[in-house]
């Protein structure tokens, strides 16, 4: 590692910025691959980049001309640099993407939504395999089919597959405890293996048919079902023929819902970019087994002036950080280091990955289709953003704010008579709700009077703004709100103002929204510290906007409260026994039937439980009988 990012190094170069600083590093750089970081005078990372040749790449920044306005601003702000050499160019690419995700530099292209995608899992650790939705690491035994673009697309596909193949989706414990068929069997969504209504061999044939369909052999499966239906009809087994007809219809519905089903592309991710007005949209289509398994639009942060090649390369590196790539990736624009990206993705997949920009044929048509979707998605987003900005400007005018707020934080509490109390915070801005910034606060204070909403609000805001003041005292990180919106009246607003005043914060606007006469929507009163309450007109768009914010905060807080209440309801004394984790807890409950039965069990009985050693049995016995 080279560079001069020591305390004295930063202070020495803080007075100089721009081309001269960058040029000063050229003497110490060699021509090896690696990653570089550009930092400002406060030692905050402005940009992370990779290079096949560090010396040549840094030399390009040392030139005073030939840069876009975005890169010129970045160079002008650069006060120091850091370098890390790597053995290979592929390692440089992987390190670059890891650092971008970790540091989120101001001038890098950033993918703001990189959640994993759901898959369909057919388990293989049971005589009668289960079919269900799976999200996350592929750590369970079975066959995975996906990815699907959304949980909705998986649910729709699973719904039709249950009709077509009658596979169970119940858990193994539920399967083992059944003594008669469940409702899914009654509505012809399951073949009833739990009570022996289908043999293991026949069920295995259904599983194989489902796997064939999910791997693109749908025609073979439908032809097989059609032959069976004809045979059943000829044998005058009309009920069986009708059931087979319904299964064929279910398969047809799956194919119809998928829209684009390319014949010549078995497996590919289609990635298309559209830019307009300084914004970008990347649309991704997932083609698996010659079927379209959905698409999703992404809106990476690019900054004005980013080129298509840079956006797509950054997108691919960050997008596939936690996802499995297809064997073939079709792009709308060429990227600079396609060979490095292929090598990096191939290493993660364990097989070759190819990246191409098709110009003709079915593949080009797929890319054009994705590009059209990207263009339409960006147009919708820009229209929504314009409407949102108008609402924020209206909000500022209605309540005398200095400017339209860039970030609004909305707070609400949820509890039942003070029990399982949770505070919720949602965030909204020019682009609408920012769900990645939502936060919940478990009320910790043991000195609160149960149900004291004012004290709960003080605790939540004190914790929130204490952390902001500690982590971002200069308010440069974009996490400080311009407006705090409270679901409550004068008392809640007073508690919020007191909490901020105790922290020395007096420049964040506070607004409380309380139900008005008869607690009817549309008659809300608005409260501000030191000012009389006010109301807005019944048809004022700003009123509707605030109602949406309040309702979203209420929904989020209630959801967090229910989750906490459910978790505590499921808690048992076994959770506190040393050495008893989740697996042993399940084993004990399955063996004894309840936590109370475990507490009453004798030492010999505990030793006889599966997975419980003699030492652990003594620990459990001692925990409940007080002689450990």
């Amino acid at each position: 590692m080279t560079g001069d990012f020591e305390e004295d190094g930063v202070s020495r170069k803080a007075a100089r910025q721009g081309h001269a600083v960058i040029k000063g590093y050229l003497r110490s750089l060699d021509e090896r691959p690696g990653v570089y970081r550009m930092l400002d005078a406060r030692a905050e990372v402005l940009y992370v980049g990779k290079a096949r040749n560090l010396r040549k790449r840094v030399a390009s920044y040392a030139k005073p001309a030939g840069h876009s306005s975005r890169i010129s601003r970045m160079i002008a702000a650069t006060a120091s640099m850091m370098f890390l050499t790597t053995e290979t160019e592929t390692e440089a690419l992987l390190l670059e993407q890891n650092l971008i995700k970790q540091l989120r530099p101001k001038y890098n292209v950033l993918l703001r939504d990189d959640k994993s995608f759901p898959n369909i899992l057919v388990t293989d650790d049971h005589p009668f395999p289960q079919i269900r939705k799976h999200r996350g690491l592929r750590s369970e035994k079975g066959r995975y089919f996906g990815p699907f673009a959304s949980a909705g697309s998986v649910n729709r596909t699973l719904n039709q597959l249950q009709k077509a193949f009658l596979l169970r989706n119940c858990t193994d414990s539920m399967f083992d405890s059944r003594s008669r068929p469940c409702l899914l069997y009654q509505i012809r969504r399951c073949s009833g293996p739990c009570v022996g209504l289908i043999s293991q061999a026949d069920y295995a044939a259904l599983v194989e048919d489902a796997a064939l369909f999910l791997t693109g052999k749908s025609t073979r499966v439908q032809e097989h079902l059609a032959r069976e239906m004809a045979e059943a009809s000829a044998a005058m087994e009309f009920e069986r023929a009708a059931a087979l007809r319904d299964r064929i219809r279910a398969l047809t519905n799956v194919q119809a819902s998928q829209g684009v089903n390319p014949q010549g592309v078995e497996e590919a991710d289609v990635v298309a970019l559209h830019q307009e007005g300084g914004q970008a949209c990347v649309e991704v289509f997932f083609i698996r087994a010659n079927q379209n398994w959905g698409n999703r639009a992404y809106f990476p942060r690019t900054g004005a002036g980013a080129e298509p090649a840079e956006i797509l390369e950054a997108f691919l590196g960050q997008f596939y950080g936690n996802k499995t790539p297809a064997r073939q990736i079709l792009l709308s624009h060429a990227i600079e280091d396609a060979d490095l990206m292929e090598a990096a993705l191939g290493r993660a997949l364990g097989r070759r990955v190819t990246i191409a920009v098709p110009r003709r044929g079915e593949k080009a048509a797929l890319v054009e289709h994705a590009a059209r979707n990207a263009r339409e998605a960006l147009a919708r987003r820009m229209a929504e953003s314009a409407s949102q900005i108008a609402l924020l400007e209206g909000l500022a005018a209605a309540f005398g704010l200095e400017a339209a707020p860039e970030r609004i934080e909305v707070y609400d509490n949820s509890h039942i008579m003070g029990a399982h109390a949770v505070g919720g915070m949602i965030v909204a801005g020019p682009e609408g709700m920012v769900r990645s910034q939502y936060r919940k606060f478990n009320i910790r204070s043991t000195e609160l009077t149960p149900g004291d909403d004012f004290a709960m609000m003080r605790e939540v805001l004190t914790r929130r703004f204490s952390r902001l003041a500690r982590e971002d005292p200069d308010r440069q990180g974009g996490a400080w709100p311009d407006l705090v919106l409270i679901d409550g009246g004068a008392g809640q607003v007073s508690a919020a103002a007191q909490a901020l005043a105790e922290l020395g914060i007096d420049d964040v606007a506070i607004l409380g929204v309380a139900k008005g006469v008869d607690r009817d929507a549309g008659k809300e009163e608005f409260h501000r510290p030191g000012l009389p309450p006010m109301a807005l007109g019944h048809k004022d768009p700003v009123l509707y906007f605030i109602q949406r914010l309040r309702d979203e905060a209420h929904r989020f807080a209630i959801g967090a409260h229910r989750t906490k209440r459910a978790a505590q309801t499921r808690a048992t004394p076994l959770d506190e026994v040393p050495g008893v984790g989740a697996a042993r807890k399940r084993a004990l409950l399955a063996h004894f039937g309840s936590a109370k039965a475990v507490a009453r069990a004798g030492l010999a009985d505990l030793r006889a439980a599966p997975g419980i050693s003699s030492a652990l049995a003594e620990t459990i016995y001692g925990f409940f009988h007080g002689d450990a």
Side-chain angles (χ1 to χ4, degrees):
M1 184 170 179
T2 60
D4 58 353
F5 186 50
E6 302 92 359
E7 292 295 329
D8 58 336
V10 172
S11 61
R12 184 172 66 250
K13 287 189 177 292
R16 296 191 299 134
Q17 294 182 189
H19 301 285
V21 169
I22 297 173
K23 190 174 182 179
Y25 287 100
L26 293 177
R27 293 187 299 272
S28 61
L29 289 177
D30 57 23
E31 298 185 349
R32 297 179 61 185
V35 172
Y36 58 92
R37 279 175 272 185
M38 309 176 85
L39 302 97
D40 63 13
R42 299 170 59 227
E44 293 186 356
V45 179
L46 296 170
Y47 185 80
V48 173
K50 69 172 186 317
R52 295 175 183 264
N53 182 318
L54 278 172
R55 181 177 175 81
K56 286 184 178 180
R57 177 57 59 90
V58 174
S60 70
Y61 291 116
K63 298 176 182 178
H67 305 290
S68 67
S69 59
R70 167 172 157 266
I71 299 301
S72 295
R73 291 195 304 271
M74 178 185 74
I75 292 172
T78 300
S80 62
M81 294 184 71
M82 295 176 66
F83 306 93
L84 182 62
T85 58
T86 59
E87 292 298 322
T88 67
E89 298 163 353
T90 302
E91 288 178 4
L93 173 63
L94 295 173
L95 178 59
E96 175 202 34
Q97 298 306 328
N98 287 335
L99 288 174
I100 289 173
K101 281 195 171 186
Q102 176 186 345
L103 301 173
R104 305 190 69 79
K106 179 179 179 181
Y107 286 97
N108 278 97
V109 174
L110 295 178
L111 176 60
R112 288 175 284 191
D113 180 7
D114 59 351
K115 295 179 181 177
S116 61
F117 289 107
N119 293 267
I120 288 177
L121 169 62
V122 179
T123 62
D124 63 1
D125 57 354
H126 194 279
F128 294 93
Q130 172 195 25
I131 185 170
R132 59 181 170 84
K133 178 172 63 179
H134 176 89
R135 189 190 290 271
L137 295 175
R138 298 187 174 189
S139 55
E140 296 185 50
K141 293 182 178 179
R143 287 182 281 183
Y144 292 85
F145 303 92
F148 288 79
S150 66
S153 60
V154 170
N155 292 336
R156 286 191 296 272
T157 301
L158 280 175
N159 183 47
Q160 298 300 326
L161 290 179
Q162 280 184 294
K163 293 179 182 179
F165 300 110
L166 310 178
L167 302 183
R168 71 179 182 96
N169 67 354
C170 58
T171 62
D172 291 349
S173 59
M174 182 178 290
F175 180 94
D176 295 336
S177 65
R178 297 297 305 182
S179 59
R180 58 193 224 177
C182 67
L183 178 62
L184 287 177
Y185 173 80
Q186 306 296 338
I187 61 174
R188 297 181 181 179
R189 300 288 182 88
C190 181
S191 53
C194 56
V195 291
L197 296 178
I198 184 173
S199 69
Q200 187 173 339
D202 289 342
Y203 190 87
L206 292 177
V207 171
E208 192 57 33
D209 282 348
L212 285 173
F213 182 82
L214 289 169
T215 52
K217 310 299 191 299
S218 56
T219 302
R220 187 190 309 177
V221 175
Q222 287 175 304
E223 288 175 351
H224 171 68
L225 292 176
R227 284 196 303 271
E228 284 194 13
M229 182 178 67
E231 291 170 1
S233 180
M236 304 186 107
E237 297 175 359
F238 298 120
E239 186 173 347
R240 179 166 172 265
L244 290 165
R245 177 203 62 201
D246 293 342
R247 292 175 62 187
I248 294 172
R249 283 180 180 173
L251 294 181
T252 303
N253 287 337
V254 173
Q255 294 168 322
S257 67
Q258 290 166 344
V260 178
N261 291 301
Q263 298 302 308
V265 182
E266 180 180 355
E267 178 182 333
D269 289 342
V270 184
V271 184
L273 167 70
H274 181 74
Q275 290 178 273
E276 185 176 339
Q279 299 184 50
C281 175
V282 179
E283 189 85 25
V284 184
F285 276 75
F286 303 99
I287 308 298
R288 299 293 186 276
N290 299 101
Q291 303 172 61
N292 172 25
W293 282 359
N295 60 291
R296 183 179 291 186
Y298 291 88
F299 303 92
R301 192 195 79 188
T302 64
E307 296 296 324
E310 179 186 0
I311 295 172
L312 277 181
E313 183 169 322
F315 177 86
L316 293 178
Q318 296 173 50
F319 181 75
Y320 289 116
N322 64 345
K323 301 174 184 68
T324 303
R327 297 185 187 186
Q328 182 176 208
I329 299 175
L330 305 178
L331 301 181
S332 59
H333 300 77
I335 61 176
E336 181 179 349
D337 295 313
D339 57 337
L340 295 184
M341 188 64 69
E342 287 177 342
L345 297 181
R347 177 187 296 185
L349 185 60
R351 63 188 184 192
R352 188 179 178 215
V353 173
T354 61
I355 296 176
V357 183
R359 299 301 182 192
R360 62 180 66 87
E362 188 176 33
K363 292 179 181 179
L366 286 174
V367 172
E368 174 55 33
H369 182 63
R372 183 168 62 252
N373 277 265
R375 182 169 60 251
E376 294 170 355
L378 184 58
R380 288 192 298 270
R381 184 179 179 87
M382 292 176 70
E384 292 168 0
S385 178
S387 175
Q388 187 81 357
I389 291 172
L391 288 171
L392 293 171
E393 291 174 346
L395 177 64
F399 296 102
L401 305 180
E402 293 182 1
E406 291 290 319
R407 180 184 175 100
I408 302 174
E409 292 185 356
V410 191
Y411 293 86
D412 190 18
N413 297 325
S414 183
H415 59 90
I416 296 179
M417 300 296 291
H420 314 299
V422 176
M425 177 194 86
I426 71 160
V427 178
E431 296 180 352
M433 306 295 182
V434 188
R435 288 177 171 80
S436 63
Q437 297 290 309
Y438 287 15
R439 296 291 182 268
K440 65 178 180 180
F441 301 82
N442 291 315
I443 303 301
R444 297 172 180 168
S445 178
T446 57
E447 300 178 357
L448 295 182
T449 302
D452 187 346
D453 286 331
F454 302 157
M456 291 181 194
M457 186 60 66
R458 280 197 298 272
E459 177 181 331
V460 168
L461 290 176
T462 298
R463 284 165 54 189
R464 168 64 179 161
F465 282 88
S466 294
R467 181 168 183 172
L468 278 178
R470 183 172 62 253
E471 295 182 351
D472 187 16
D474 297 325
R475 306 192 185 188
Q476 299 297 316
W480 280 81
D482 304 302
L483 172 66
V484 168
L485 181 62
I486 306 293
D487 184 9
Q492 295 278 22
V493 169
S494 177
Q498 179 184 350
L500 297 189
E502 290 174 354
L503 296 172
I505 300 170
D506 58 5
D507 56 348
V508 174
I510 300 173
L511 177 65
V513 53
K515 294 286 180 66
V517 180
D518 300 324
R519 299 183 62 81
D520 287 342
K523 299 181 180 179
E524 284 82 359
E525 289 185 343
F526 298 95
H527 299 262
R528 295 166 291 173
L531 295 173
M534 62 173 289
L536 296 174
H538 294 310
K539 297 183 179 180
D540 193 325
V542 174
L543 175 62
Y544 298 141
F545 177 51
I546 295 175
Q547 287 174 345
R548 288 205 312 274
L549 295 177
R550 177 199 59 197
D551 293 345
E552 174 67 1
H554 191 56
R555 179 201 65 78
F556 180 67
I558 286 178
H561 162 73
R562 288 174 176 166
T563 300
K564 182 178 181 181
R565 187 178 67 196
Q568 294 185 4
T569 300
R570 290 193 298 268
T572 74
L574 293 175
D575 295 327
E576 302 175 16
V577 181
V580 175
R584 283 175 174 154
K585 174 184 170 184
R586 287 195 298 269
L588 286 167
L589 292 174
H591 184 75
F592 290 100
S594 68
K596 186 178 291 185
V598 176
R600 291 198 300 258
L603 189 56
D605 294 329
L606 288 169
R607 286 173 176 158
I612 305 300
S613 65
S614 294
L616 183 56
E618 291 176 4
T619 300
I620 297 170
Y621 184 85
F623 178 84
F624 288 111
H625 295 83
D627 57 356

